[in-house]
Amino acid sequence: MAGSSLPRRALGRTLREHRIRSGKGQLVAGLHIEISPQSVGRMEDGRKIKISTSQIRDLLDFYGLTQPSEERDEILSLWEEVKQQDQAAKMQGTTKGWWRSYSDQFAAHFDHYLDLETAADQLTTHQLSLVPGLLQTSEYRRSLTVAADPALSAVDVERRLELAARRRTVLDKDGFRMKALLSEAVLRHRPGGPAVMAEQLRHLVEAAERDNLTIRVVPFTAPAPLGLVARSFALLEFPPLASRLVEPPVVYVDGYEGALYLEQSDVIDRHRRAIADLEQVALSEDATRDLVWSIAKEHAE
């Protein structure tokens, strides 16, 4: 898991919790260890900043986590894990996410999503209108890209297709599992025309043969599930860290003008209920395959 953001995110979240518990603000915390309050905020957000082990220890003292303390030892152990991950990433030449070389091709908020997607070991997505990005064919993706920005140059279109192709490699990662719950409308829309859509649906059937991928369709005839109210979203879950801490799940909701990253436990619970509700009314995997094949034939006629 070299280069994973998980240890750093867990460290930042834990430090934020202890700072708030101690009644300290980011300004005084930063002054105490001689970094800016903005740097404290970036660290707590799980972003990389220049900070030493001695500064981490001073910060823990400032928050009242003096020795001996089990909590202090856990945080320092997590900090060691962060350093080990950084060293491993440096040796592999992956200190920055591979997608950063495509940063001119996606919205700023999507950088965080790609970081999460790369670190996740479970992804559950519910889509009302479009095939999930990891399951899109190149021509389907091309049609969406051109529709979103008709003035985009041919070079930029190809770079975005390269980005999409590299994203799909996460499906081959050991331990990664994906579940896609798709409205029947996803199968009926025709981005790029009927031939492109027929190819896309055939690809879905082939992709569903993967052991780590489940695709189920919520048919138009199904009772209105809670998922229709929740709209399209993705739930990302993460493997345990070496320190045995578990990074909380994140719900990602993408919109035309931006995105939401939701981590509150009650929000996660509501989306889990939506997933369970959708699974109650979705077709089985076999019935989904039959429906997808049938609609693919309709597009191909």
Side-chain angles (χ1 to χ4, degrees):
M1 201 165 61
S4 169
S5 64
L6 293 184
R8 194 176 297 279
R9 289 182 67 229
L11 176 68
R13 188 185 70 256
T14 304
L15 289 174
R16 177 186 286 117
E17 291 171 354
H18 285 289
R19 177 182 58 76
I20 293 173
R21 190 181 304 172
S22 68
K24 305 294 195 303
Q26 290 182 346
L27 176 61
V28 295
L31 288 173
H32 184 75
I33 59 171
E34 299 182 338
I35 64 175
S36 70
Q38 291 82 7
S39 292
V40 173
R42 287 195 292 272
M43 177 176 62
E44 292 179 349
D45 288 339
R47 297 163 63 185
K48 190 172 183 178
I49 67 166
K50 189 174 182 179
I51 190 170
S52 67
T53 300
S54 61
Q55 285 174 300
I56 292 288
R57 292 181 184 276
D58 288 345
L59 203 57
L60 296 181
D61 291 339
F62 192 51
Y63 295 162
L65 291 168
T66 55
Q67 296 181 344
S69 166
E70 183 176 339
E71 288 182 313
R72 180 188 178 96
D73 291 343
E74 288 178 351
I75 294 172
L76 290 174
S77 175
L78 189 56
W79 169 241
E80 287 301 317
E81 191 171 346
V82 169
K83 292 195 295 181
Q84 290 169 11
Q85 290 290 323
D86 285 350
Q87 183 62 33
K90 185 176 181 180
M91 292 177 65
Q92 295 181 16
T94 57
T95 54
K96 294 184 179 180
W98 60 262
W99 58 90
R100 301 283 164 76
S101 62
Y102 297 92
S103 60
D104 59 328
Q105 300 299 327
F106 55 78
H109 70 79
F110 201 58
D111 176 85
H112 185 42
Y113 177 80
L114 292 172
D115 202 354
L116 297 175
E117 184 179 81
T118 303
D121 67 343
Q122 294 188 60
L123 170 63
T124 304
T125 181
H126 167 52
Q127 296 296 320
L128 291 172
S129 59
L130 297 175
V131 172
L134 293 178
L135 303 179
Q136 294 173 359
T137 63
S138 293
E139 290 308 307
Y140 182 95
R141 184 68 210 169
R142 183 190 302 276
S143 68
L144 296 179
T145 299
V146 173
D149 190 352
L152 201 63
S153 72
V155 171
D156 284 340
V157 169
E158 292 305 317
R159 278 175 50 74
R160 295 190 186 191
L161 294 180
E162 288 176 12
L163 170 63
R166 293 195 65 179
R167 277 183 63 196
R168 290 194 288 271
T169 61
V170 74
L171 294 170
D172 298 320
K173 186 176 71 173
D174 288 344
F176 182 83
R177 300 191 63 82
M178 179 178 177
K179 180 188 299 179
L181 297 163
L182 310 179
S183 166
E184 185 176 337
V186 172
L187 314 181
R188 300 287 182 182
H189 290 307
R190 292 186 170 188
V196 169
M197 198 60 202
E199 178 192 22
Q200 173 64 75
L201 296 190
R202 288 192 291 267
H203 174 71
L204 285 182
V205 173
E206 294 170 2
E209 296 297 319
R210 287 175 169 267
D211 292 337
N212 65 336
L213 177 59
T214 300
I215 301 175
R216 296 176 63 191
V217 169
V218 180
F220 288 146
T221 55
L226 178 59
L228 292 177
V229 179
R231 301 168 62 183
S232 298
F233 65 88
L235 172 67
L236 299 110
E237 300 176 82
F238 309 97
L241 301 167
S243 56
R244 292 179 296 179
L245 289 176
V246 177
E247 184 66 5
V250 176
V251 166
Y252 172 74
V253 182
D254 192 12
Y256 192 56
E257 296 297 335
L260 297 174
Y261 295 91
L262 310 171
E263 301 184 41
Q264 302 93 327
S265 58
D266 58 329
V267 174
I268 300 298
D269 288 343
R270 283 199 297 273
H271 283 80
R272 288 195 190 279
R273 288 197 298 273
I275 290 168
D277 190 56
L278 287 161
E279 290 178 322
Q280 287 291 321
V281 299
L283 298 175
S284 68
E285 291 182 71
D286 287 343
T288 290
R289 183 188 61 246
D290 292 342
L291 179 62
V292 174
W293 268 126
S294 175
I295 298 176
K297 291 177 182 177
E298 292 178 20
H299 288 312
E301 291 175 354

